[in-house]
Amino acid sequence: MDLDKSMIGIASEPYVAQIDPERVMKFAQAIGDDNPLYSDETYAADTAYQGITVPPTFLISLGSSAKFPLELDFRRMLHGEQEFIYHHPVRMGDTLDCTMKVTDVYDREGKSGTMQFLVLDTEMKKEDGTLAAVARNTIIYRPAPKEVRQL
């Protein structure tokens, strides 16, 4: 399956992500970030965030729950870019309502031919409906391998 502009707007089923303090702490340890903003309430209260928040890249760990209606060939996919757009701090104990959606499809010429790009935005809303963040993932979708004819 190749990508085309008609895919823009296709969305996953909504799913819920719970921000679990233990999972956040393990994530911070795994990336080697011991910033007290993720663990020390007294310290975090005196920051612009006014409380403990998650590491900026933590949201990547929440995307695996999406049931996405596109059947993509994972062998053709490369991770191209990841971006996190925060509208409000994400805090321990938050429950986020998430939906992943195709927001762009485009082509670029590369050394080995035309490469396709798929942009997926995962909107993450707090329980009151406020948009907390968007996790944007750009996937490079490589050309399908040419079939080798056997004699």
Side-chain angles (χ1 to χ4, degrees):
M1 152 193 250
D2 282 336
L3 308 177
D4 64 66
K5 293 271 188 193
S6 70
M7 296 174 170
I8 295 173
I10 293 175
S12 71
E13 294 178 21
Y15 64 97
V16 174
Q18 182 71 34
I19 307 303
D20 174 38
E22 184 176 338
R23 187 172 172 189
V24 172
M25 292 306 301
K26 285 181 180 179
F27 184 89
Q29 289 172 348
I31 63 171
D33 192 341
D34 60 359
N35 188 330
L37 183 59
Y38 317 133
S39 60
D40 183 337
E41 188 66 53
T42 304
Y43 171 85
D46 289 332
T47 69
Y49 298 100
Q50 300 176 341
I52 291 178
T53 187
V54 300
T57 57
F58 176 77
L59 300 180
I60 197 164
S61 69
L62 304 179
S64 61
S65 300
K67 289 185 174 76
F68 207 67
L70 289 178
E71 292 187 27
L72 300 171
D73 184 349
F74 292 107
R75 297 170 298 177
R76 295 175 59 189
M77 295 171 61
L78 294 172
H79 185 264
E81 183 177 19
Q82 188 74 45
E83 180 179 358
F84 303 97
I85 305 154
Y86 280 86
H87 297 272
H88 295 282
V90 175
R91 302 191 186 285
M92 308 299 179
D94 279 354
T95 299
L96 301 175
D97 295 317
C98 306
T99 304
M100 183 185 292
K101 181 168 44 173
V102 177
T103 56
D104 200 6
V105 174
Y106 59 94
D107 296 342
R108 288 230 173 107
E109 282 301 315
K111 292 179 182 177
S112 60
T114 303
M115 297 182 301
Q116 296 183 298
F117 291 77
L118 176 68
V119 181
L120 301 170
D121 281 3
T122 303
E123 287 190 349
M124 301 177 178
K125 296 181 179 179
K126 296 197 176 203
E127 289 178 293
D128 65 1
T130 303
L131 181 62
V134 175
R136 178 167 293 149
N137 183 8
T138 301
I139 295 168
I140 302 168
Y141 204 62
R142 298 179 295 177
K146 298 191 189 257
E147 291 185 36
V148 177
R149 290 184 163 220
Q150 297 203 5
L151 301 174

